[in-house]
Amino acid sequence: MGQDETRVPMTGFALRGWCPDAWRPMMAGDGLIVRVKPRLARLTAAEIAVLADLARRFGSGAIDITNRANLQIRGVREQGWQDLLRALVDRGLVDSDAALEGRRNLLVAPGWDRGDDTARIAEELLGRLGELPELPGKMGIAVDAGPVATLLDSPADFRIERAEAGGLLLRLDGRESGVSILPEEATDRLIALAHWFVETGGAAARRASRHTAALPQWARGDGRPAVGAAAPHGYGVPFGRIEGEAMVRLMAATGAAALRVTSWRQLLAESEVREPVEGFVRDPGDPLLRADACPGAPTCPQATVETRELARRLAPHVSGRLHVSGCAKGCARARPSDVVLTGRDGAFDLALRGRAGDPPTRAGLSPDHVLAHFGAS
Ligand code: SF4
């Protein structure tokens, strides 16, 4: 599930570039969505137990894993939001400073080890969030300094990643190459690049990939990110939706002290035990792991079509990546997919190798027509 599902901030902040978080939750068809941003993509077993308990007491019990490796407590009742917020702050899951929480948009490669470049740079950045300029709300930073880059497909604007040549790169999203940096200067350089972005009018573009200003000399380079093995496979969560209690079961079954949250909708247990756990997909080849679908109707008021049941039925019949989107906004996936179905006026438009809302090859299909088209009826 993406970042834009709905539009109603609780607290009257400016809407331009607004990105919801626990201090500024957003309203969806099933109640408020309250976002929790795990530090270094990690949650301990105790934190998961707390989250599951809070999700059940204040919301519907369901939790979303977003494509930025955040968690969203679903279905929160308005009158319970402040108590929920207080509980999250007390447990250290949300920053007590709303402004800092708003800036804490760090996507961290989940395979980090204590003391490695990814962990060290991410920890330093977390301590220096106040030095970043005011950035558009949807912008984020990826720290991806493991042996190969694993977040290339995940949304971020400023990227610190492993270079083909073996060192580290600082790269602005949308540019093919980046500048070589030393690990110890990574945070300074990143903060400087963020200031350059704002000073050169980047806020108007709202995302780094749309900001075409020439980079300063010191940020230019021809280093390419190191592409390597596929992202690690853990416990797959179809469409990113899971019951909090299922996460508690996962911890009990694996005996792990903590888990890592990925931006590819899987949870990695910090444990050698590889138990099957009900509610999670363990087969890396399962077609559901190649399918994206936003909540659709009736959960999202923008949607005129049901999405996830259709995606479930269709996924085994589609080769490549499938995206079923409730509307042209495409919250579940910003990148192109092999097959894209976009809801419009109660029917689906079908496009190939594109994004939600792209010009369709076939338009106005009912779900039955879609299933028949792919031989799934
Ligand atoms: S219908 Fe889906 S894509 Fe459209 S706004 Fe809602 S969640 Fe996002």
Side-chain angles (χ1 to χ4, degrees), residues 13-368:
F13 283 67
L15 268 175
R16 185 179 167 78
W18 172 66
C19 195
D21 58 33
W23 285 94
R24 299 171 295 177
M26 59 185 182
M27 182 62 78
D30 57 342
L32 289 171
I33 297 172
V34 174
R35 183 171 294 166
V36 173
K37 306 172 181 177
R39 287 180 177 78
L40 272 74
R42 183 175 193 262
L43 289 168
T44 64
E47 288 171 333
I48 288 163
V50 167
L51 279 172
D53 176 56
L54 294 175
R56 196 183 52 245
R57 279 170 45 210
F58 293 97
S60 64
I63 292 176
D64 282 337
I65 302 172
T66 77
N67 57 7
R68 295 181 185 224
N70 292 323
L71 300 184
Q72 296 183 153
I73 299 174
R74 303 278 327 195
V76 174
R77 295 168 289 282
E78 284 188 42
Q79 59 274 27
W81 163 59
Q82 290 204 337
D83 287 343
L84 171 59
L85 175 63
R86 205 168 300 123
L88 291 168
V89 169
D90 285 349
R91 294 293 187 145
L93 290 162
V94 165
D95 202 296
S96 59
D97 180 327
L100 282 183
E101 179 71 11
R103 286 172 177 222
R104 196 161 59 81
N105 296 319
L106 243 60
L107 178 57
V108 177
W112 58 267
D113 284 319
R114 204 163 291 285
D116 70 8
D117 283 342
T118 297
R120 211 183 35 71
I121 293 167
E123 278 164 356
E124 189 177 345
L125 265 168
L126 284 174
R128 295 179 63 184
L129 291 175
E131 296 177 45
L132 287 167
E134 199 67 45
L135 292 165
K138 293 187 187 305
M139 291 188 71
I141 297 165
V143 184
D144 192 12
V148 293
T150 56
L151 301 179
L152 293 172
D153 242 6
S154 303
D157 296 88
F158 305 99
R159 296 176 182 273
I160 293 171
E161 53 202 9
R162 186 62 54 190
E164 269 177 342
L168 284 186
L169 281 185
L170 172 61
R171 185 169 66 87
L172 201 63
D173 191 52
R175 321 253 172 158
E176 286 190 356
S177 58
V179 65
S180 295
I181 53 171
L182 297 171
E184 55 273 23
E185 64 182 4
T187 306
D188 285 341
R189 295 281 211 115
L190 187 134
I191 291 170
L193 191 61
H195 281 279
W196 164 85
F197 178 84
V198 170
E199 285 157 12
T200 53
R206 296 174 70 185
R207 298 304 302 266
S209 59
R210 298 190 207 122
H211 187 46
T212 53
L215 286 165
Q217 194 64 40
W218 62 263
R220 291 182 202 168
D222 56 7
R224 300 288 185 107
V227 182
H233 180 73
Y235 290 84
V237 179
F239 315 126
R241 173 67 56 88
I242 191 77
E243 290 294 316
E245 290 305 324
M247 295 171 70
V248 174
R249 283 201 305 275
L250 171 64
M251 302 313 288
T254 60
L259 56 73
R260 308 285 175 92
V261 186
T262 76
S263 52
W264 49 92
R265 298 183 180 119
Q266 298 192 27
L267 299 172
L268 309 178
E270 287 184 3
S271 159
E272 294 305 312
V273 181
R274 305 248 180 263
E275 291 287 328
V277 181
E278 189 193 335
F280 296 91
V281 175
R282 288 294 286 141
D283 174 6
D286 192 307
L288 279 182
L289 298 182
R290 290 185 274 106
D292 300 285
C294 71
T299 305
C300 177
Q302 294 292 302
T304 58
V305 289
E306 192 284 330
T307 49
R308 288 184 172 165
E309 187 50 34
L310 180 64
R312 267 182 204 282
R313 294 179 63 187
L314 210 51
H317 301 272
V318 168
S319 61
R321 190 109 212 145
L322 167 67
H323 181 183
V324 181
S325 185
C327 78
K329 219 166 179 179
C331 293
R333 183 173 168 86
R335 309 251 166 190
S337 298
D338 299 285
V339 172
V340 189
L341 290 155
T342 306
R344 183 174 54 82
D345 300 334
F348 288 96
D349 291 343
L350 167 65
L352 301 177
R353 287 175 288 284
R355 298 178 171 83
D358 275 0
T361 54
R362 296 191 62 185
L365 299 172
S366 70
D368 284 346

